[in-house]
């Protein structure tokens, strides 16, 4: 029997089997990792109940992308590395879409999802950049106000936001608001996109984020399949 798996259906808590990717992973021999993933999954479900599925879905997608980008540019994360070592041994090597990798990242992704979906934490990083008056040239810099440039400076509120990410997601995260060779850091791009959406809302923006739900076989030991993929 086939079914649509929800975004949060990534692990069977009874059998400790990760089912959040196209292939499953038995975590029963890795109790510490399994415990962290199950705890993160409970938080994931609470976030959906508290903030709504759509808000958490968008934040979850952004959090996954940001955690991957940070790893790609060498922002080391000891917790993720330790989980991969626990599952695969000291000389591990994985692709980003392998179940071992997805399971190892999941607790950190959920912590970042909590922050990105929180009205309080979002206000600290986003509201600091809103201009005091309506900008005369609203789309000069990637669709955000022209005076965004000087508003990108760090503030006490932004420092609180940065400290929360360091405490719960990645201790080496830094706020780098300026471009380098016309390219912005991954998190700064997220801020720019969120601000652009405030000033120029797009009715199609949700279509740019792929739906995290998967289509799979019934039972926690089945192998899930992505939407539209047939066996």
């Amino acid at each position: 029997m086939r079914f649509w798996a929800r975004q949060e259906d990534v692990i069977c808590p009874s059998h400790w089997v990760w089912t959040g990717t196209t292939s499953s992973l038995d975590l029963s021999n890795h109790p510490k990792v399994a415990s962290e993933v199950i705890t993160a999954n409970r938080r994931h479900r609470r976030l959906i109940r508290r903030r709504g599925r759509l808000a958490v879905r968008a934040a979850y997608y952004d959090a996954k992308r940001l955690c991957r980008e940070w790893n790609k540019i060498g922002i080391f994360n000891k917790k993720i590395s330790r989980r991969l070592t626990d599952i695969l041994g000291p000389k591990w090597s994985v692709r980003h879409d392998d179940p071992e990798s997805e399971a190892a990242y999941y607790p950190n992704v959920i912590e970042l999802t909590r922050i990105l979906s929180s009205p309080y934490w979002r206000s600290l990083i986003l509201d600091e950049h809103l201009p005091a008056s309506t900008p005369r040239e609203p789309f000069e810099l990637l669709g955000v106000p022209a005076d965004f440039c000087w508003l990108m400076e760090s503030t006490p509120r932004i420092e609180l936001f940065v400290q929360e990410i360091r405490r719960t997601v990645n201790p080496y995260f830094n706020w780098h608001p300026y471009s380098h060779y016309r390219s912005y850091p991954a998190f700064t791009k997220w801020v720019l996109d969120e601000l652009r959406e405030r000033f120029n809302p797009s009715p199609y923006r949700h279509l740019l984020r792929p739906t995290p739900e998967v289509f799979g076989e019934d039972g926690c030991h089945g192998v899930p399949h992505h939407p539209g993929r047939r066996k």
Side-chain angles (χ1 to χ4, degrees):
M1 179 179 177
R2 293 185 175 184
F3 69 99
W4 282 103
R6 298 170 300 179
Q7 178 194 74
E8 67 272 24
D9 294 333
V10 297
I11 189 166
C12 173
S14 299
H15 301 91
W16 293 6
V17 175
W18 171 268
T19 60
T21 44
T22 54
S23 57
S24 58
L25 173 66
D26 186 353
L27 292 173
S28 59
N29 292 325
H30 313 287
K32 186 172 183 179
V33 176
S35 176
E36 289 177 297
V37 171
I38 291 170
T39 299
N41 188 243
R42 290 176 184 147
R43 291 173 180 162
H44 192 172
R45 293 172 187 274
R46 284 198 300 269
L47 285 173
I48 291 172
R49 291 194 298 269
R50 187 181 308 159
R51 296 172 184 164
R53 182 169 295 277
L54 290 180
V56 173
R57 174 185 292 174
Y60 180 74
Y61 169 74
D62 289 338
K64 285 186 69 173
R65 178 175 54 81
L66 287 168
C67 285
R68 293 291 182 182
E69 286 288 336
W70 290 340
N71 177 72
K72 188 176 179 180
I73 63 174
I75 302 179
F76 183 69
N77 194 301
K78 291 182 180 179
K79 291 183 178 179
I80 294 173
S81 180
R82 188 255 305 156
R83 292 185 199 112
L84 285 168
T85 301
D86 191 331
I87 298 171
L88 297 170
K91 296 183 179 180
W92 54 265
S93 177
V94 291
R95 297 177 303 179
H96 70 88
D97 55 349
D98 286 343
E100 295 87 354
S101 180
E102 290 286 330
Y105 270 82
Y106 182 71
N108 294 71
V109 168
I110 293 305
E111 285 292 349
L112 187 54
T113 299
R114 173 185 63 82
I115 296 171
L116 299 186
S117 65
S118 164
Y120 170 74
W121 291 112
R122 287 172 63 87
S123 72
L124 294 189
I125 194 70
L126 297 176
D127 292 352
E128 284 291 291
H129 301 311
L130 294 178
S133 60
T134 303
R136 287 175 293 180
E137 300 178 60
F139 309 116
E140 190 154 308
L141 178 63
L142 295 180
V144 298
D147 49 350
F148 180 82
C149 293
W150 64 266
L151 287 169
M152 293 288 272
E153 296 291 347
S154 183
T155 68
R157 286 163 58 88
I158 291 174
E159 283 301 314
L160 283 176
F161 184 97
V162 170
Q163 289 169 16
E164 181 67 7
I165 291 186
R166 287 176 180 168
R167 184 181 71 84
T168 62
V169 184
N170 193 311
Y172 301 107
F173 171 76
N174 281 306
W175 168 240
H176 295 298
Y178 301 106
S179 65
H180 182 67
Y181 292 105
R182 297 186 179 181
S183 176
Y184 286 92
F187 188 76
T188 306
K189 289 179 183 177
W190 179 83
V191 173
L192 289 168
D193 287 342
E194 292 295 314
L195 288 175
R196 177 170 50 188
E197 182 66 14
R198 288 193 179 193
F199 285 92
N200 187 27
S202 169
Y204 307 107
R205 190 183 182 204
H206 68 283
L207 298 177
L208 300 177
R209 289 187 172 100
T211 304
E213 280 77 6
V214 295
F215 187 58
E217 299 296 326
D218 196 10
C220 68
H221 291 284
V223 178
H225 296 271
H226 287 295
R229 183 179 295 174
R230 296 183 180 180
K231 293 185 69 179

